[in-house]
């Protein structure tokens, strides 16, 4: 299996430049003095999450291939491209499945390209993410939890569309890896990077970039205890599946997916370990981000900081970057967390 390389991530950076925010590293003066901390606030992206990086790269790459092939078939489960009356490759509609942030990212990227987007989302998706997806002109299809993938594939067949998966594709991984590229450029002496893990696309991309640019850095994934399938998988040396009814227990709704064979291969190569955090620790990290750094984070985005705050004994000390992956939190939940 071919893994994404630093060159792939650099190519992605060229594609997404000007389309995604180059988020800063924000120092956290309230952090432990022997564990200097910087926050990578991907919550500041236009759609409120890092997912815009992968979506923009994937759709831009698809557009490039369509133009280069003049209507030849796409890749990675994509349907064939049409050709308009002037012999120009037509842009196919796209389909995505997501609990929210990837949905908004694909909808936003598709709107910019003038492409129709159909997004399959679980019925229990926070309303803020459903509304955000519709805001970009996408058609949202709500389905029972556990059926989003199969429903998406049915739409691909019915519409002759192209599937843009949330993590299981090299273009998505390379796009997410641009965040790691920025970390390596902005803090080349970083010693620890904490990144959330769900399907594994972000950790795969960030880990690949950080390990290439900062070979002495440690990359640690963080999961909720209630959705710790990736931690189990790394221990077992193979993908371990958790029932969907177990994974949906966590408030970190963006971390309820499981790694694919592709992302798991990357995790094995570039992630040094995984720690898990409790639901109360996630809530505490959300409060700390809001009150001490003035950052609104959704539960999934706060998970890495929860590890920094509550799992210090399991982590190496030193200059640390926490990736705050998203900020699309339901208002009622935020009010409850802030109390």
């Amino acid at each position: 299996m071919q893994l994404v390389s630093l060159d792939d991530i650099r190519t992605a950076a060229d594609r997404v430049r000007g389309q995604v925010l180059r988020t800063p590293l924000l120092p956290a003066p309230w952090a432990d003095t022997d564990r200097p901390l910087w926050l990578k606030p991907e919550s500041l992206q236009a759609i409120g999450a890092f997912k815009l990086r992968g979506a923009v790269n994937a759709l831009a790459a698809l557009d490039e291939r369509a133009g280069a092939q003049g209507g030849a078939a796409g890749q990675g489960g994509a349907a064939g491209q049409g050709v308009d009356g002037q012999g120009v490759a037509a842009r196919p509609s796209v389909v995505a499945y997501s609990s929210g942030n990837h949905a908004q990212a694909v909808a936003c990227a598709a709107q910019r390209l003038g492409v129709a987007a159909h997004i399959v989302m679980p019925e229990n998706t926070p309303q803020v993410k459903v509304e955000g997806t519709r805001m970009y002109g996408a058609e949202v299809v709500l389905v029972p939890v556990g059926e989003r993938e199969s429903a998406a594939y049915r739409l691909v067949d019915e519409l002759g569309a192209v599937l843009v998966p949330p993590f299981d594709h090299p273009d998505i991984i390379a796009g997410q890896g641009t965040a790691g590229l920025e970390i390596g450029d902005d803090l080349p002496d970083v010693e620890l990077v904490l990144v959330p893990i769900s399907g594994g696309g972000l950790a795969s991309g960030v880990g690949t970039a950080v390990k290439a640019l900062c070979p002495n850095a440690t990359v640690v994934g963080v999961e909720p205890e209630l959705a710790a399938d990736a931690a189990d998988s790394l221990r077992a040396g193979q993908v371990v599946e958790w029932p969907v009814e177990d994974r949906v227990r966590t408030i970190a709704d963006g971390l309820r997916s499981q790694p694919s064979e592709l992302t798991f291969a990357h995790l094995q190569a570039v992630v040094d370990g995984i720690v898990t955090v409790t639901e109360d620790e996630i809530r505490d990290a959300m409060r700390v981000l809001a009150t001490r750094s003035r950052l609104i984070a959704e539960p999934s985005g706060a998970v890495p900081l929860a590890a920094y705050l509550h799992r210090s004994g399991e982590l190496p000390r030193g200059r640390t970057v926490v990736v705050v992956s998203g900020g699309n939190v339901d208002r009622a939940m935020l009010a409850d967390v802030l109390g």
Side-chain angles (χ1 to χ4, degrees):
M1 182 181 298
Q2 185 170 353
L3 303 186
V4 167
S5 68
L6 182 63
D7 285 343
D8 295 326
I9 296 173
R10 291 194 187 281
T11 297
D14 290 338
R15 290 194 186 110
V16 306
R17 187 171 292 114
Q19 299 296 312
V20 304
L21 179 66
R22 192 189 193 286
T23 54
L25 285 184
L26 303 178
W30 43 264
D32 295 343
T33 55
D34 64 338
R35 295 192 299 152
L37 176 65
W38 287 262
L39 306 173
K40 179 72 169 169
E42 288 298 293
S43 52
L44 300 182
Q45 293 292 348
I47 59 98
F50 75 95
K51 290 283 191 177
L52 190 59
R53 295 176 181 271
V56 168
N57 185 54
L59 266 67
L62 182 67
D63 210 37
E64 289 174 10
R65 293 178 188 118
Q69 297 172 6
Q75 67 148 25
Q81 318 285 336
V83 178
D84 67 16
Q86 286 76 42
V88 178
R91 288 169 171 166
S93 60
V94 296
V95 170
Y97 57 90
S98 167
S99 62
N101 288 332
H102 179 64
Q104 294 178 83
V106 172
C108 179
Q111 184 184 67
R112 292 177 182 179
L113 281 175
V115 172
H118 306 264
I119 313 295
V120 180
M121 306 179 80
E123 292 171 336
N124 64 346
T125 299
Q127 191 62 27
V128 64
K129 295 183 178 182
V130 175
E131 292 171 357
T133 303
R134 287 177 173 149
M135 180 181 71
Y136 292 108
E139 178 183 336
V140 173
V141 180
L142 296 175
V143 300
V145 176
E147 294 183 17
R148 61 182 188 172
E149 253 185 273
S150 58
Y153 279 101
R154 284 196 300 272
L155 273 177
V156 166
D157 291 339
E158 292 170 9
L159 301 172
V162 176
L163 181 68
V164 183
F167 50 84
D168 189 26
H169 196 286
D171 291 336
I172 297 292
I173 294 172
Q176 318 305 24
T178 60
L181 200 65
E182 294 167 10
I183 292 171
D185 287 344
D186 291 347
L187 192 66
D189 58 351
V190 63
E191 294 171 276
L192 173 64
V193 177
L194 296 174
V195 58
I197 292 184
S198 180
L202 178 63
S204 295
V206 167
T208 297
V210 168
K211 287 295 188 180
L213 296 174
C214 313
N216 293 324
T218 299
V219 177
V220 174
V222 189
E223 283 187 305
E225 286 184 356
L226 297 183
D229 50 289
D232 276 359
S233 297
L234 278 188
R235 281 192 293 267
Q238 62 184 10
V239 175
V240 175
E241 295 189 3
W242 278 36
V244 65
E245 56 269 22
D246 287 349
R247 289 180 275 123
V248 299
R249 295 174 299 165
T250 178
I251 60 170
D253 59 282
L255 303 184
R256 293 169 176 168
S257 295
Q258 297 191 129
S260 65
E261 293 294 338
L262 177 63
T263 56
F264 183 65
H266 283 81
L267 297 179
Q268 286 182 303
V270 300
V271 171
D272 296 294
I274 298 177
V275 298
T276 61
V277 293
T278 69
E279 302 295 288
D280 285 343
E281 289 165 352
I282 295 170
R283 289 172 177 270
D284 181 56
M286 292 175 67
R287 281 191 292 270
V288 169
L289 286 168
T291 58
R292 296 189 180 181
S293 288
R294 312 304 187 265
L295 287 174
I296 299 302
E298 61 190 272
S300 304
V303 161
L305 182 63
Y308 175 90
L309 295 173
H310 298 283
R311 294 291 183 270
S312 60
E314 302 175 42
L315 299 170
R317 307 186 89 74
R319 291 174 292 276
T320 302
V321 170
V322 158
V323 180
V324 182
S325 57
N328 294 313
V329 59
D330 180 79
R331 294 174 185 173
M333 174 180 288
L334 181 62
D336 178 64
V337 166
L338 295 180

